[in-house]
Amino acid sequence: MPDCLRLALVTDIHCGRESLTKKGSLAPELLDRFAGFVADYEPDMVVELGDRITDTDPEADRAALDAVARSFDAVAAPRAHLMGNHDLVHLTVDENQELLAHPMASASVDLAGWHLVFWQADPSMSGAHEPTIAPDDLAWLQSDLAATDLPSIVFTHIPLDSASMRGNFYFEANPQYGGYSNARAAQEVISAAGNVAACVAGHVHWNNLSRIDGVPYVSLQSLTESYTTQGRASASWATIELEAHQLRWTSHGNDPIELVVGVGGAARSWETPLPPFAELARRRQA
């Protein structure tokens, strides 16, 4: 049985220029607050879910990412970082790795009886290009989950749940950019694996929970977003406390939310959904 695991998470920092509803100029100050919180909370690991910068140009983006990296230098806990779509507009994966001094390939680690998966499925999006999971990335996830018997948490930048974007400032009118075009394939891999306790993401700039086949899919509000908080930066980060059959998620700051969700055991393996009602009627008449 896994031990209690405590994680601190932050996402969509968007350090740099002000952009739409993002308060990017406040990012260094808010990250320093987050580092102070981590020092007091003493989590087993810190997970940063991507979009560290608001892309401007290569020079400005390097400066913004360098400021983010300096803030994370104050975090003593082990860390994981994911690539976000804004991180890749003017900078390469290698440049992100260099400035953060952290690898950016998909990886996993076993911690306190849990298997933590940092899945770097390509988050790129621009113009007509919708985020799409490459076959090699999907194969990597399937192989990684098949290689462990531990309960697993899958972390991505872009959510995998294909959730409704109704009311979302950025994605209500652009839902194709709020998730992966082929997210259903990832959902099927996760359900078939049978050992995924939760999936966690950023990107969509709100707190949200979906459940698919009993697996919670959680998204976290951006650190610097303001559209849900009447013009103030949300100053959001989260803690996740995982026990054998329970996930407790607390989003701190100006857009707070707390959830307790069952994971594993009886919470898994929902009944297979019904076919279309017309098909049921046809079967009854056959």
Side-chain angles (χ1 to χ4, degrees), residues 8 21 27 35 48 57 65 67 79 95 99 101 117 175 197 199 204 225 227 229 260 269 283-285:
T21 58
E48 184 269 310
D57 58 57
L65 184 52
R79 303 193 323 260
E95 287 173 307
L99 289 166
V117 183
C199 298
V204 286
E225 186 52 70
Y227 80 86
T229 47
V260 179
S269 300
R283 292 177 189 178
R284 285 195 295 268
Q285 294 167 2

Side-chain angles (χ1 to χ4, degrees), residues 31-41 74-75 237:
L31 269 181
D32 288 346
R33 286 193 217 169
F34 174 68
F37 172 85
V38 167
D40 292 336
Y41 182 64
V75 173
W237 55 77

Side-chain angles (χ1 to χ4, degrees), residues 27-266:
E29 173 191 341
L30 295 175
L31 269 181
D32 288 346
R33 286 193 217 169
F34 174 68
F37 172 85
V38 167
D40 292 336
Y41 182 64
E42 297 183 339
D44 298 292
M45 185 169 231
V46 169
V47 183
E48 184 269 310
L49 296 167
D51 275 359
R52 290 168 285 276
I53 59 173
T54 297
D55 56 277
T56 302
D57 58 57
E59 183 178 359
D61 288 4
R62 284 186 68 89
L65 184 52
D66 186 59
V68 170
R70 288 198 303 272
S71 292
F72 275 109
D73 284 343
V75 173
R79 303 193 323 260
H81 295 274
L82 294 175
M83 293 300 306
N85 50 291
H86 287 274
D87 303 321
L88 288 168
V89 175
H90 297 297
L91 301 178
T92 65
V93 172
D94 286 346
E95 287 173 307
N96 277 268
Q97 290 182 153
E98 171 201 341
L99 289 166
L100 281 169
H102 191 282
M104 288 296 177
S106 292
S108 57
V109 63
D110 295 341
L111 191 62
W114 296 86
H115 184 67
L116 306 183
V117 183
F118 308 107
W119 192 30
Q120 303 275 9
D122 184 8
S124 300
M125 49 183 270
S126 61
H129 177 71
E130 301 171 15
T132 302
I133 302 167
D136 287 351
D137 286 334
L138 199 63
W140 184 94
L141 179 66
Q142 187 172 32
S143 176
D144 183 85
L145 294 174
T148 183
D149 293 326
L150 294 176
S152 303
I153 313 296
V154 178
F155 298 92
T156 55
H157 175 65
I158 295 177
L160 302 174
D161 56 355
S162 308
S164 170
M165 292 292 110
R166 179 68 182 272
N168 188 288
F169 179 80
Y170 291 94
F171 298 114
E172 176 172 296
N174 307 284
Q176 70 273 30
Y177 298 109
Y180 286 107
S181 62
N182 56 344
R184 183 66 176 265
Q187 296 163 15
E188 290 172 355
V189 166
I190 288 161
S191 292
N195 58 354
V196 178
C199 298
V200 180
H203 182 63
V204 286
H205 289 228
W206 65 10
N207 298 310
N208 192 59
L209 169 70
S210 302
R211 297 183 77 187
I212 301 173
D213 194 23
V215 178
Y217 289 71
V218 183
S219 66
L220 172 62
Q221 174 63 285
S222 158
L223 179 72
T224 55
E225 186 52 70
S226 68
Y227 80 86
T228 66
T229 47
Q230 297 73 53
R232 297 179 300 162
S234 70
S236 288
W237 55 77
T239 56
I240 291 181
E241 297 179 356
L242 287 154
E243 298 180 5
H245 298 297
Q246 177 178 282
L247 178 151
R248 180 181 296 275
W249 174 45
T250 303
S251 181
H252 301 260
N254 296 324
D255 193 6
I257 191 169
E258 186 166 0
L259 293 168
V260 179
V261 185
V263 295

Side-chain angles (χ1 to χ4, degrees), residues 277-286:
F277 292 155
E279 171 63 16
L280 291 175
R282 186 194 65 78
R283 292 177 189 178
R284 285 195 295 268
Q285 294 167 2

